[in-house]
């Protein structure tokens, strides 16, 4: 019979999780499948919400519960409160989403001073008194809020008095005495006797479970897991079966496959003569589940058979709780089991091989976050020391090496074959050689989109940044963290997954998945690599978005190709002005005449041509989007502190230049297209280098496909000026292929005037790092290490807007620009090259917004391919 607030297990199914909670829906499903589930019923989440909103239960609830209780009594042939052979029931919580251990359970409801004798007559004195004392303590703490420690204290005192170490050594008389002590505790706290009416016990336990939805720990858990607060919990009432009634009884947990590796087989634990809570509490060591075959072959065979039934029904790994009572198997719970990232891939692929699910379903069951986890080397943390600091986990991985506080010395040390961790207060483009040479990068300032973080992710280097506890003294060649001092050359370890920093060297294991993408292992190398290759291939076949790479060097471009890039979506050109070329930039800045400017640019030209030739060769046949120089020129000058002690004329001139070019907000200053227009000839030199490199590649028989991208455009006139000049320059290069000119959309005004800008742009690429920074008015270099953590705690941000695109704000700018850009120029190609291009949630957004491609750092490519595929899957049917 269908009722409003209570459903018999026989009346529900696995799709009713909203109403019956996960546990209730799965119990109903098992009942429907004819599996041995003790009779019972579920009180709906709706009843819980009613109670939490109004402080009273729905008027029909008591009658409905009574009705369903009678059905349970009939099914099992025992009555609640029957002095001769009492029915006992369990009351358990179970919301829509699993919240393990966060809410309440009360077992053995129905025991009173009278019924305890009836239970003893069927199960023995010791068993009956043991159940009664469990009820009083669980009811006492759950329903009336008596601290659990009071009951534990009484139990411990009794054990001491009897001189025994464990509960099973206590006799029936001991437990009877303990019940007396528990009742006194109950009376002392509540001023009333322990209730002797089983119906009252049941009603109160149900209400206590409802209320447990709102305990502090449950709220904290939901907040952390992003579970809505207004769902409420269902309550499952089930006839008790006893795993603790003798040696032919027991209780256990089982997995249909190994949740750590995905290997097929029988996995789990079994504890003879015990109740479920004993397994969880680890009171005794459980036996491996295989032992059950020896102890009770029939139950074991039935369990294995049921595991097969559940796997076929759920088409997935299931975990199970069961009890055996006098040789009879009972199923108490099942659900789709949690698993490690590796097992998620392996199981999904196995189920495809077994014909249980199709590839689309398999792709739904894995995600980019799991794949990303599998791509990092990891520390083996067993026996690891306490961390000395924690910062922002900016680029994942695990790296140990000698702390080096200077980029040049890092290069030297790496050249001697030493493992290096480059430690800086913050990094700047000048640190690039040291960053490349280092295994890991550690800074005490900056967030996830700081220079160190962006560059490190691009290079696949482990990076922890913004570790504010660290006092980094680069001049002194040391860092301090509380009492710990690390000097140059000392070994340290940085964990880019957790953001933790350790003293000393920790052992690491490389990722087989990366070795596969690098061509070092083939797809048959093992079940994990096989599964990943298969699911990424299916994602490739499914996705609409192209996936390109952010790559600045031929080496990065070559690696990106191996990782499946369909081109370079962003080649930043700024690092090409570093190293020995800095002298030329300084000459450019110090130039006092047009001739001097032209001379400096003329020297840069062949160097740039060489840069572009290399990257075009590595990406032959695929697009390479080269962005003209973006950061302010003074970033290439020595730091002010170094110049203050200026001794030469040149230093003094540089010092004057640094002072002259100082800006209060350099991020909003003379950079990108503004710099290109302010320094005549600079962009033209880059365009010429691109054109000449392409022409040279064509002569060599290559297929170069460069594109020119203009940064920081806010108005169409800026772009029109640069484009006209670029076309003039390119027209004068014999043999150059056609080279499209497009723009970044990274200034909010550009997004808002995208229709105008499209008239001059052959493509758009969203620079969502700057777009986020400028739309929010939030410094990308500082926010994450200053107030952002507080904002996350306060719930202003669910995730950092620099990590996952802010759909409501920045996302609207993106959508608007796509629409107006394409309205003005039908077929306009649109992509994204900010860090969001490699973020799973953002990729789904870019798919929906109709972008043509995402571009991300090479190591992120497999994740982006997988998520772009997932984004294009049809809705699950
Ligand atoms: C961006 O702003 O998103 C971008 C890709 O450019 P950069 O990170 O180099 O400023
Ligand atoms: Mg930018």
């Amino acid at each position: 019979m269908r009722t409003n607030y209570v459903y018999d297990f026989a009346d529900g199914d696995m799709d009713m999780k909203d109403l019956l909670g996960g546990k209730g829906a799965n119990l109903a499903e098992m009942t429907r499948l004819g599996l041995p589930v003790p009779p019972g019923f579920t009180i709906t989440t709706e009843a819980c919400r009613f109670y939490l909103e109004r402080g009273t239960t729905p008027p029909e609830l008591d009658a409905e519960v009574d009705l369903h209780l009678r059905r349970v009594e009939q099914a099992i042939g025992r009555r609640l409160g029957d002095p001769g052979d009492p029915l006992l029931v369990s009351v358990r919580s179970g919301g829509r989403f699993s919240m393990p251990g966060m809410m309440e359970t009360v077992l053995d409801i129905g025991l009173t001073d009278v019924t305890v004798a009836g239970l003893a007559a069927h199960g023995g004195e010791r068993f009956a008194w043991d159940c009664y004392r469990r009820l009083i303590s669980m009811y006492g703490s759950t329903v009336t809020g008596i601290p659990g420690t009071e009951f534990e204290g009484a139990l411990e005192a009794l054990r001491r008095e009897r001189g025994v170490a464990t509960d099973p050594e206590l006799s029936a008389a001991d437990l009877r005495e303990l019940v007396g002590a528990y009742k006194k505790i109950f009376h002392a706290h509540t001023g009333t006797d322990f209730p002797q009416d089983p119906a009252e016990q049941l009603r109160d336990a149900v209400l206590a479970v409802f209320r447990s939805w709102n305990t502090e720990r449950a709220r904290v858990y939901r907040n952390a897991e992003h579970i809505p607060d207004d769902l409420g919990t269902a309550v499952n009432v089930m006839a008790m079966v006893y795993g603790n009634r003798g040696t032919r009884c027991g209780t256990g947990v089982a997995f249909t496959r190994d949740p750590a590796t995905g290997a097929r087989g029988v996995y789990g634990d079994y504890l003879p003569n015990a109740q479920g809570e004993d397994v969880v509490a680890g009171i005794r060591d459980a036996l491996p589940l295989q032992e059950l075959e020896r102890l009770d072959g029939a139950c074991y065979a039935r369990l294995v058979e049921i595991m097969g039934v559940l796997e076929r029904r759920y088409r997935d790994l299931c975990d199970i709780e069961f009890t055996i009572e006098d040789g009879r198997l009972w199923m108490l719970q099942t659900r789709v089991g949690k698993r490690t990232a590796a097992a998620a891939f392996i199981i999904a692929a196995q189920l495809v091989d077994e014909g249980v699910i199709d590839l689309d379903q398999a792709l739904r069951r894995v995600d980019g976050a799991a794949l990303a986890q599998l791509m990092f080397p990891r520390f083996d943390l067993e026996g690891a020391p306490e961390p000395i600091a924690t910062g922002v986990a900016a680029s994942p991985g695990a790296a140990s090496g000698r702390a080096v506080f200077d980029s040049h010395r890092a290069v030297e040390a790496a050249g001697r074959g030493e493992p290096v961790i480059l430690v800086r207060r913050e990094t700047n483009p000048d640190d690039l050689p040291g960053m490349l040479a280092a295994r890991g990068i550690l800074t005490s300032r900056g967030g996830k989109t700081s220079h160190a973080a962006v560059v490190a992710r691009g290079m696949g280097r482990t990076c922890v940044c913004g570790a504010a506890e660290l006092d980094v003294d680069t001049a002194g060649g040391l860092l301090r963290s509380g009492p710990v001092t690390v000097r140059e050359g000392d070994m340290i370890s940085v964990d880019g997954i957790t953001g933790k920093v350790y003293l000393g060297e920790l052992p690491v294991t490389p990722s087989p998945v990366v070795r596969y993408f690098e061509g070092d292992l083939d797809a048959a190398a093992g079940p994990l690599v096989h599964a990943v290759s298969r699911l990424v291939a299916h994602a490739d076949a499914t996705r609409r978005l192209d996936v390109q790479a952010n790559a600045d060097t031929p080496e990065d471009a070559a690696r990106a190709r191996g990782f499946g890039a369909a081109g370079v979506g962003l080649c930043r050109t700024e690092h090409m002005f570093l190293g020995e070329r800095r002298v030329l930039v300084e000459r450019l800045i110090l130039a006092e005449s047009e001739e001097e400017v032209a001379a400096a640019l003329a020297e840069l030209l062949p160097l740039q041509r060489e840069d572009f030739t290399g990257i075009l060769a590595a990406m032959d046949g695929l697009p390479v989007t080269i962005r003209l120089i973006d950061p302010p020129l003074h970033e290439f000058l020595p730091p002010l502190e170094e110049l203050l002690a200026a001794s030469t004329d040149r230093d003094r001139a540089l010092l004057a230049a640094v002072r002259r070019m100082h800006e209060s907000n350099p991020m909003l200053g003379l950079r990108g297209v503004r710099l290109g227009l302010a320094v005549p000839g600079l962009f033209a030199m880059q365009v010429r280098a691109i054109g000449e490199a392409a022409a040279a590649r064509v002569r060599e028989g290559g297929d170069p496909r460069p594109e020119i991208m203009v940064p920081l455009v806010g108005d169409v006139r800026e772009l029109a000026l640069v484009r006209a000049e670029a076309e003039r320059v390119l027209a004068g290069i014999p043999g150059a292929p056609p080279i499209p000119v497009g723009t970044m959309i990274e200034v909010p005004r550009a997004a808002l005037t995208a229709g105008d800008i499209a008239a001059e742009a052959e493509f758009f690429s969203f620079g969502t790092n700057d777009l986020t920074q400028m739309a929010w008015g939030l410094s990308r270099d500082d926010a994450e290490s200053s107030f952002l953590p507080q904002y996350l705690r306060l719930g202003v941000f669910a995730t950092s807007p620099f990590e996952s695109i802010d759909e409501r704000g920045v996302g609207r700018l993106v959508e608007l620009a796509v629409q107006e850009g394409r309205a003005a120029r039908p077929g306009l190609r649109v992509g994204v090259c900010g860090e969001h291009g490699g973020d799973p949630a953002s990729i789904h957004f870019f798919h929906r917004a109709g972008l043509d491609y995402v571009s991300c750092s090479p190591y992120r490519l497999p994740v982006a391919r997988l998520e772009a595929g997932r984004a294009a899957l049809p809705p699950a049917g």
Side-chain angles (χ1 to χ4, degrees):
M1 188 186 87
R2 295 229 149 200
T3 53
N4 259 344
Y5 291 108
V6 183
Y7 283 71
D8 196 277
F9 289 165
D11 290 338
D13 63 42
M14 67 196 257
D15 295 325
M16 294 171 69
K17 293 194 173 71
D18 286 340
L19 193 61
L20 304 180
K23 187 178 291 180
N26 290 330
L27 282 166
E29 188 67 33
M30 286 200 289
T31 305
R32 283 165 68 91
L33 289 169
L35 304 184
V37 176
F41 53 87
T42 303
I43 304 172
T44 62
T45 54
E46 222 169 84
C48 175
R49 288 195 295 272
F50 188 107
Y51 177 73
L52 294 177
E53 277 160 26
R54 305 182 207 191
T56 168
T57 54
E60 322 71 320
L61 186 64
D62 283 351
E64 285 188 32
V65 168
D66 272 356
L67 183 73
H68 283 271
L69 189 61
R70 295 291 93 78
R71 291 171 62 169
V72 172
E73 290 176 339
Q74 270 166 17
I76 204 146
R78 291 183 204 142
R79 272 193 313 107
L80 195 72
D82 182 349
D85 185 10
L87 164 71
L88 305 190
V89 295
S90 62
V91 170
R92 294 173 211 263
S93 60
R96 170 75 180 83
F97 301 103
S98 162
M99 295 171 51
M102 291 299 128
M103 291 182 295
E104 301 293 357
T105 294
V106 185
L107 305 180
D108 299 319
I109 284 171
L111 274 175
T112 63
D113 295 351
V114 176
T115 58
V116 70
L119 188 67
H122 290 86
E125 287 278 330
R126 192 187 178 287
F127 162 71
W129 289 103
D130 189 41
C131 290
Y132 199 13
R133 64 102 186 167
R134 286 174 195 259
L135 169 65
I136 301 171
S137 63
M138 270 190 262
Y139 182 98
S141 54
T142 301
V143 178
T144 66
I146 301 170
T149 47
E150 299 255 333
F151 298 110
E152 283 153 28
L155 176 60
E156 210 178 295
L158 183 69
R159 277 200 304 254
R160 248 197 329 270
E161 222 173 87
R162 296 290 182 272
V164 300
T166 63
D167 300 351
E169 295 170 76
L170 294 171
S171 69
D174 293 336
L175 292 167
R176 184 181 188 140
E177 191 180 318
L178 189 63
V179 165
Y182 277 14
K183 282 193 193 161
K184 283 205 185 95
I185 293 172
F186 190 92
H187 194 277
H189 273 269
T190 62
T192 58
D193 287 334
F194 180 73
Q196 295 294 310
D197 173 4
E200 182 188 335
Q201 291 174 2
L202 175 57
R203 206 166 32 246
D204 288 348
V206 169
L207 297 187
V209 172
F210 282 165
R211 286 193 299 271
S212 71
W213 174 259
N214 276 334
T215 55
E216 172 80 18
R217 66 175 181 197
R219 284 177 172 283
V220 169
Y221 182 89
R222 286 198 294 272
N223 194 14
E225 297 290 308
H226 306 299
I227 299 173
D229 262 332
D230 55 1
L231 299 178
T233 180
V235 181
N236 299 292
V237 178
M238 188 195 270
M240 287 290 301
V241 289
Y242 307 101
N244 55 342
R245 215 168 71 173
T247 49
R248 294 188 63 225
C249 303
T251 189
V253 293
F255 294 93
T256 56
R257 297 172 194 238
D258 185 339
T261 64
R264 260 166 288 186
V266 176
Y267 295 87
D269 297 314
Y270 183 67
L271 197 55
N273 199 7
Q275 263 192 348
E277 48 171 354
D278 303 337
V279 182
V280 182
I283 287 171
R284 277 181 279 146
D285 282 343
L287 305 172
L289 188 56
Q290 280 79 359
E291 287 284 299
L292 180 60
E293 190 167 17
R294 190 175 50 78
L295 296 170
D296 188 337
C299 277
Y300 180 78
R302 178 81 175 113
L303 180 67
V304 171
E305 182 194 327
I306 287 174
M307 283 162 69
V309 171
L310 289 175
E311 268 232 343
R312 280 192 294 282
R313 180 69 187 126
Y314 285 86
R315 301 172 177 210
D316 207 345
L317 170 147
C318 295
D319 75 26
I320 293 162
E321 286 178 23
F322 66 93
T323 278
I324 295 173
E325 182 187 72
D326 293 328
R328 185 157 179 204
L329 176 68
W330 292 101
M331 305 302 293
L332 301 190
Q333 178 175 319
T334 192
R335 64 185 167 197
V336 168
K338 294 220 184 318
R339 65 206 69 188
T340 61
F345 278 87
I346 295 170
I347 293 171
Q350 271 173 359
L351 291 171
V352 173
D353 288 339
E354 292 167 24
V356 178
I357 58 175
D358 62 20
L359 275 164
D360 279 4
Q361 278 169 309
L363 196 51
R364 283 191 194 96
R365 291 195 185 169
V366 293
D367 60 26
L371 181 55
Q373 262 189 38
L374 294 170
M375 292 184 63
F376 310 132
R378 304 192 142 255
F379 281 130
D380 186 356
L381 283 176
E382 227 174 84
E386 282 297 302
I388 57 167
T390 303
V392 178
S395 176
S400 292
R402 298 194 182 285
V404 177
F405 295 84
D406 170 87
S407 174
H408 295 298
R409 291 200 299 277
V411 174
E412 281 165 22
R416 291 192 298 272
E418 287 174 18
V420 168
I421 305 291
L422 179 68
V423 186
R424 305 283 293 155
R425 216 168 286 149
E426 62 207 334
T427 62
N428 62 46
D430 239 1
D431 290 322
L432 196 78
M435 296 173 80
L436 271 168
R439 290 195 178 174
I441 296 138
L442 171 63
T443 71
S444 58
R445 294 197 44 191
K448 273 203 173 139
T449 44
S450 64
H451 177 264
V454 172
V455 174
R457 272 198 295 282
M459 303 185 312
R461 294 291 184 285
T462 300
C463 176
V464 170
C465 58
E469 292 147 84
L470 298 182
D471 180 7
V472 176
D473 175 1
T474 42
L478 55 86
L479 70 81
R480 289 195 191 82
S481 175
V484 178
T485 300
V486 175
R487 289 178 197 287
E488 180 134 335
D490 290 350
M491 285 302 277
I492 56 170
S493 299
V494 291
D495 187 332
I497 297 174
T498 62
K500 294 196 178 350
V501 184
Y502 301 86
L503 200 57
E505 181 173 9
L506 303 186
V508 286
T509 334
S511 154
V513 173
V514 169
R515 292 181 58 204
Y516 160 72
F517 283 116
E518 284 179 339
D520 214 23
L521 285 180
D522 74 33
L528 175 61
V529 168
H530 167 73
V532 168
S533 66
R534 194 142 175 224
L535 293 179
V536 171
H538 184 60
D540 286 342
T542 308
R543 64 188 159 86
R544 182 184 56 69
L545 282 171
D546 261 351
V547 178
Q548 303 195 8
N550 294 356
D552 308 345
T553 62
E555 297 75 40
D556 273 358
R559 178 179 302 116
R561 237 187 147 136
F563 279 39
V568 169
L570 172 63
C571 170
R572 292 182 169 100
T573 54
E574 31 279 7
H575 81 267
M576 300 170 183
F577 292 80
L578 295 169
E580 67 269 22
R581 302 181 190 179
R582 266 181 47 167
V583 201
L584 297 174
V585 181
E586 287 173 10
R587 271 184 32 206
L588 193 63
I589 291 171
L590 297 180
E592 285 176 355
S593 66
E594 275 176 27
E595 291 72 34
E596 281 178 39
V597 169
L601 290 173
E603 283 197 53
L604 279 163
L605 175 67
L607 303 170
Q608 281 268 271
R609 197 164 49 220
E610 205 177 305
D611 297 327
F612 299 137
T613 307
I615 202 157
L616 288 172
M619 272 289 163
D620 198 56
L622 294 173
V624 177
T625 310
I626 299 170
R627 184 181 72 184
L628 304 180
I629 187 167
D630 183 18
L633 278 186
H634 71 255
E635 276 200 11
F636 301 98
L637 295 179
L640 188 68
E641 309 92 74
E642 269 178 37
L643 291 171
L644 283 175
S647 51
T648 64
D649 279 351
R650 185 178 174 78
D651 283 354
R652 273 189 286 277
L654 285 172
L655 177 61
V658 169
R659 291 204 159 120
R660 190 175 63 244
M661 297 170 89
H662 171 80
E663 291 176 315
S664 302
N665 286 311
M667 275 289 185
L668 304 179
L670 184 60
R671 51 176 286 221
V673 67
R674 303 164 193 171
L675 185 71
L677 295 177
V679 182
L682 178 60
F683 275 7
M685 179 277 290
Q686 289 197 291
V687 170
R688 175 168 296 284
I690 295 166
E692 289 179 357
R697 287 286 309 146
V698 171
R699 281 196 300 277
E700 288 163 12
D703 180 10
R705 307 214 178 158
E707 306 191 358
I708 292 171
M709 180 152 76
V710 185
L712 222 75
V713 166
D715 186 274
V716 64
R717 281 165 293 193
E718 294 171 302
L719 183 61
L721 290 168
V722 176
R723 186 172 170 200
E725 184 178 30
E727 282 173 355
R728 247 191 335 267
V729 171
L730 292 172
I733 301 172
I739 302 181
V741 177
T743 182
M744 309 246 339
I745 301 286
E746 54 183 343
V747 174
R749 193 180 184 284
L752 295 168
T753 60
D756 300 342
I757 291 178
E760 293 289 338
E762 285 171 87
F763 61 88
F764 281 179
S765 178
F766 289 100
T768 46
N769 303 331
D770 273 309
L771 195 58
T772 299
Q773 163 167 269
M774 294 188 218
W776 277 92
L778 193 63
S779 161
R780 62 194 260 196
D781 286 333
D782 303 318
E784 283 176 310
S785 56
S786 68
F787 65 92
L788 204 123
Q790 235 140 318
Y791 262 41
L792 291 171
R793 239 188 338 270
L794 292 170
V796 181
F797 295 149
T799 43
S800 160
F802 290 110
E803 197 173 324
S804 243
I805 189 102
D806 153 41
E807 291 186 23
R808 279 192 66 72
V810 179
R812 287 188 68 192
L813 289 171
V814 170
E815 286 165 339
L816 180 88
V818 173
Q819 279 157 21
E820 298 200 349
R822 290 215 178 115
R825 184 188 279 257
L828 176 74
R829 213 156 39 81
V830 181
V832 56
C833 62
E835 288 296 290
H836 302 84
D839 168 66
S842 309
I843 290 169
H844 286 246
F845 169 77
F846 296 132
H847 171 85
R848 291 195 303 275
L851 265 59
D852 297 299
Y853 68 94
V854 296
S855 186
C856 59
S857 57
Y859 284 93
R860 212 62 203 165
L861 283 163
V863 170
R865 289 160 64 193
L866 190 82
E867 287 295 351
R870 282 167 45 74
L873 285 172

